[in-house]
Amino acid sequence: MQRLLIKGGKPLNGKYRVSGSKNAALPILAATILLPDHSVIKNVPNLLDVITIIRVLRALGLRAEYSQSVPNTVDVWNNSVKHVAPYELVTKMRASFFVIGPILAIKGLAKIPLPGGCAIGSRPVDIHIKGMEALGARVKLEHGFVIAEAKKLKGGRFYLDFPSVGATESVMMAATLAEGETLIENAAKEPEIADLANFLIKAGAQIVGAGTDVIKVSGVKQLRPVEYSIIPDRIEAGTIMAAAAITMGKVMIEGIIPEQLEAVARKLQESGVRIKMAADRVEVDGSGDRFKAVDVKTMPFPGFPTDMQPQIAAFLTLAKGTSVVSETIFENRFMHMHELRRLGADIKLEGQSAIINGVAKLSGAPVKVSDLRAGAALLIAGLAADGETELEDRDHHISRGYENIIEKLRGIGGDVSKAVVHVP
Ligand code: UD1
């Protein structure tokens, strides 16, 4: 159990450097299953979710560890791969399921536990399964496991019913070693997919179109080991943009890729926040008058990211007027709204929309974290709220996705500390 104490009401100020992307690191580490020998992955954030995927790789027979000498670097040695992924790790983190594609491509057989539901929705894996079938695999469900089998995967045409990020990634990984050409249509376009493709291309895969909605993969016989550096985390950057804005501070966020932040930057600008983008950094200036309400609807990339919905909602609790925040990606991603009310926010929920009437101030209170981005929203709301907010993060959700967040926020003037937990 982790508790964070936040003394809010002070503007954030200074320079902040973004870590490597969690959502790129997870599939790229999963993809090392496809590569022989020793690969080196750099700019990997040191996070609980990354540790979980490293443990999955180890359980599958690979050797994987954070380098002792180079920070944020993971070494992977791959000499043999088992085909069964462990239940406790896949049910702990859904992204562990993404190993199905690479295991199937390498072993001809993959046995992966169904990930089950999670706090933000039921999140089925039917699209992943259809993707494996499109490559010629026979798939069955038995005793809670998805069992996929194909002596040799064969390239095929696969149209995704919904542009799922993970399903696009697992099919793309599997197709790299399939016989012939695979066309992935209505593919997800998130930047993390392009990063995974760039990693695979460096390892010898033939992929064109990653980052667009049609990806063409021409199967190759084998891949080779690589050294690769992960892109920056656009969700961490967006979270800090929202944090600077809500506290009416001024923060220079460094090490970003501007195109990946456009949807978030536009909404903040529309609300009155001053944003200056440069080649690899963005300055967010939230000083001055109160912001205006804006409407936000989550969409697949390049639309507004669902992973930023809780944080923008936190920001809008203090904006003048009425904002409507609509969630279209996950069916149950509003848990933070109830906790934001405890800080004084005026929010009504109507189906998949939250109607937020901006209030003049938030006031600190004890709140509970239900999932990673809900935690981020409560953290930045706490930074803006008067007085003290105590964040109860029973399952260490925030550490799953934000590297060294306490130290990094303190670096820009955030008064955040770990509270001592008394076990009765
Ligand atoms: C990834 C991100 C997550 C982000 C999400 C949406 C990683 C490790 N995680 O998750 O942070 O919130 O994209 O941008 O990259 N769906 C199905 N069937 C499937 C797969 C998905 O119905 O087989 C549904 C899901 O329930 C959800 C929607 O599609 O409603 C989007 O999910 P998806 O894009 O697959 O998310 P993830 O890849 O799990």
Side-chain angles (χ1 to χ4, degrees):
M1 142 93 89
Q2 171 143 299
R3 270 184 214 273
L4 298 184
L5 270 188
I6 308 158
K7 291 193 181 124
K10 290 171 222 136
L12 296 179
N13 245 296
K15 285 186 181 166
Y16 184 101
R17 180 153 281 275
V18 171
S19 299
S21 161
K22 165 180 90 73
N23 285 355
L26 298 178
I28 286 176
L29 284 166
T32 59
I33 292 170
L34 295 163
L35 277 50
D37 304 324
H38 178 196
S39 292
V40 181
I41 319 296
K42 297 175 175 170
N43 202 30
V44 180
N46 202 329
L47 298 171
L48 285 183
D49 273 7
V50 174
I51 292 168
T52 301
I53 197 80
I54 287 177
R55 289 177 59 206
V56 172
L57 293 178
R58 287 182 189 157
L60 290 169
L62 287 80
R63 193 174 142 207
E65 60 201 29
Y66 276 103
S67 160
Q68 301 288 326
S69 48
V70 195
N72 294 108
T73 297
V74 173
D75 286 291
V76 183
W77 291 266
N78 182 359
N79 296 314
S80 71
V81 181
K82 294 181 195 150
H83 70 276
V84 187
Y87 171 80
E88 69 285 1
L89 295 177
V90 179
T91 47
K92 187 171 175 173
M93 181 184 75
R94 177 182 161 84
S96 311
F97 187 84
F98 304 177
V99 296
I100 190 165
I103 296 180
L104 183 59
I106 285 280
K107 300 291 290 180
L109 175 65
K111 193 173 168 192
I112 319 291
L114 271 174
C118 69
I120 61 174
S122 65
R123 301 178 91 178
V125 289
D126 54 317
I127 309 175
H128 294 250
I129 291 174
K130 283 185 193 158
M132 298 305 126
E133 286 171 341
L135 298 179
R138 288 172 304 284
V139 185
K140 58 183 178 189
L141 273 174
E142 237 172 55
H143 306 297
F145 280 81
V146 176
I147 303 173
E149 207 177 340
K151 262 209 178 74
K152 178 78 192 150
L153 291 173
K154 291 205 168 48
R157 209 167 150 184
F158 176 51
Y159 179 91
L160 281 82
D161 296 336
F162 179 87
S164 151
V165 175
T168 302
E169 291 169 342
S170 53
V171 175
M172 189 167 78
M173 289 190 265
T176 55
L177 295 182
E179 224 169 68
E181 195 175 286
T182 299
L183 214 54
I184 309 173
E185 294 169 313
N186 197 27
K189 297 184 281 194
E190 271 66 5
E192 293 76 19
I193 292 165
D195 204 35
L196 170 64
N198 289 336
F199 166 81
L200 291 167
I201 291 167
K202 199 166 179 200
Q206 289 187 10
I207 303 172
V208 287
T212 75
D213 56 6
V214 181
I215 303 176
K216 194 170 97 183
V217 185
S218 307
V220 295
K221 289 231 153 43
Q222 59 185 29
L223 300 180
R224 54 176 179 263
V226 285
E227 232 185 83
Y228 188 81
S229 185
I230 307 265
I231 53 168
D233 196 312
R234 64 190 168 101
I235 305 300
E236 182 193 2
T239 303
I240 300 305
M241 289 168 79
I246 193 177
T247 61
M248 300 181 116
K250 188 172 172 183
V251 178
M252 176 70 86
I253 305 167
E254 297 177 330
I256 55 117
I257 300 176
E259 310 83 83
Q260 299 178 356
L261 295 175
E262 232 161 69
V264 173
R266 284 209 189 145
K267 280 296 156 189
L268 290 173
Q269 267 169 334
E270 198 182 319
S271 180
V273 180
R274 285 178 300 281
I275 296 200
K276 273 194 224 146
M277 284 278 186
D280 63 348
R281 56 191 186 282
V282 54
E283 186 188 76
V284 180
D285 183 356
S287 59
D289 290 340
R290 252 180 94 189
F291 308 112
K292 290 196 302 274
V294 294
D295 294 342
V296 176
K297 189 175 188 172
T298 63
M299 298 292 270
F301 190 83
F304 192 91
T306 174
D307 285 352
M308 275 299 301
Q309 177 262 106
Q311 301 88 313
I312 200 87
F315 164 75
L316 292 172
T317 60
L318 288 173
K320 223 182 209 163
T322 302
S323 306
V324 179
V325 174
S326 307
E327 174 57 56
T328 75
I329 309 292
F330 292 111
E331 72 278 14
N332 190 23
R333 200 171 202 176
F334 278 158
M335 262 93 67
H336 49 284
M337 301 293 185
H338 307 290
E339 297 299 295
L340 286 170
R341 279 188 197 137
R342 296 182 44 75
L343 299 176
D346 178 353
I347 303 174
K348 284 186 202 73
L349 295 182
E350 273 183 20
Q352 290 298 91
S353 295
I355 295 135
I356 304 177
N357 286 308
V359 292
K361 73 178 185 85
L362 296 176
S363 60
V367 285
K368 287 195 171 109
V369 174
S370 55
D371 61 88
L372 166 58
R373 306 301 170 186
L378 294 169
L379 184 55
I380 66 172
L383 286 166
D386 280 352
E388 203 168 282
T389 293
E390 190 173 311
L391 225 81
E392 180 183 316
D393 188 2
R394 209 161 258 284
D395 296 319
H396 294 253
H397 286 294
I398 295 175
S399 319
R400 291 182 53 191
Y402 293 90
E403 186 179 45
N404 282 335
I405 191 64
I406 297 178
E407 293 74 12
K408 288 174 92 173
L409 283 173
R410 289 169 83 97
I412 48 174
D415 191 340
V416 186
S417 54
K418 263 189 203 169
V420 181
V421 180
H422 297 286
V423 183

